[in-house]
Amino acid sequence: MSKPRLQNWPTALAAYLTASRTKKFAWGEHDCCLFSAGAIAAQTGEDPAAELRGTYHTAKEATALIRTRYEGSLWNVPEQHGLRLVDVRHAGRGDIVGDVLERRRILGVCAGARSAFLTTRGLVWRDTLACRFAWRIA
């Protein structure tokens, strides 16, 4: 991907995260992968998941998609979309992070010292340094 961030990316990212707080979880529309991709789109103007939106509607279908397109691991999604794995200690605002929540691998968005993750219960925040992985978007 390596697309540079837009000039107004901090404002766009903040607006995106604020809007995501009230938007309900929905597989294939607003789940952890699409939430993370939406954050990338807000910052770069390019949605890495545009072709995937609306193509699956259940957890089972999402798992099948990850199995076929991403070699069976959610952790492969960011890198296959051109993001570079970095040490989580170097994650910056807007970067994508990965962790395990509710016994499920999940992608989120670094907002600085805290990172946002979209779960079936809504947006959950946790310490960025507690995350397992981070991927740089630009």
Side-chain angles (χ1 to χ4, degrees):
M1 183 175 151
S2 294
K3 185 169 180 156
R5 290 179 174 159
L6 301 170
Q7 185 174 354
N8 70 334
W9 75 266
T11 303
L13 177 62
Y16 177 75
L17 292 174
T18 298
S20 294
R21 289 179 186 193
T22 57
K23 194 171 179 184
K24 292 189 187 270
F25 181 97
W27 291 108
E29 295 175 32
H30 191 60
D31 54 43
C32 79
C33 283
L34 299 180
F35 165 69
S36 299
I40 293 170
Q43 296 174 79
T44 67
E46 182 178 305
D47 183 357
E51 67 183 40
L52 300 176
R53 292 181 188 278
T55 64
Y56 60 95
H57 306 287
T58 66
K60 185 176 181 178
E61 291 174 339
T63 300
L65 179 70
I66 289 168
R67 187 179 311 113
T68 59
R69 287 189 69 143
Y70 303 104
E71 301 170 10
S73 177
L74 184 67
W75 302 144
N76 292 332
V77 174
E79 288 182 64
Q80 286 192 20
H81 284 278
L83 279 65
R84 183 173 48 91
L85 183 66
V86 296
D87 188 297
V88 74
R89 293 173 296 179
H90 301 293
R93 193 163 53 137
D95 287 339
I96 303 305
V97 291
D99 208 353
V100 175
L101 294 173
E102 301 170 0
R103 294 185 297 218
R104 186 182 289 250
R105 290 180 178 186
I106 188 167
L107 296 175
V109 180
C110 177
R114 307 274 290 159
S115 289
F117 294 88
L118 182 66
T119 71
T120 56
R121 295 185 331 242
L123 220 52
V124 172
W125 293 84
R126 63 184 302 140
D127 291 339
T128 298
L129 291 177
C131 296
R132 295 177 187 212
F133 299 101
W135 296 269
R136 177 95 6 99
I137 72 158

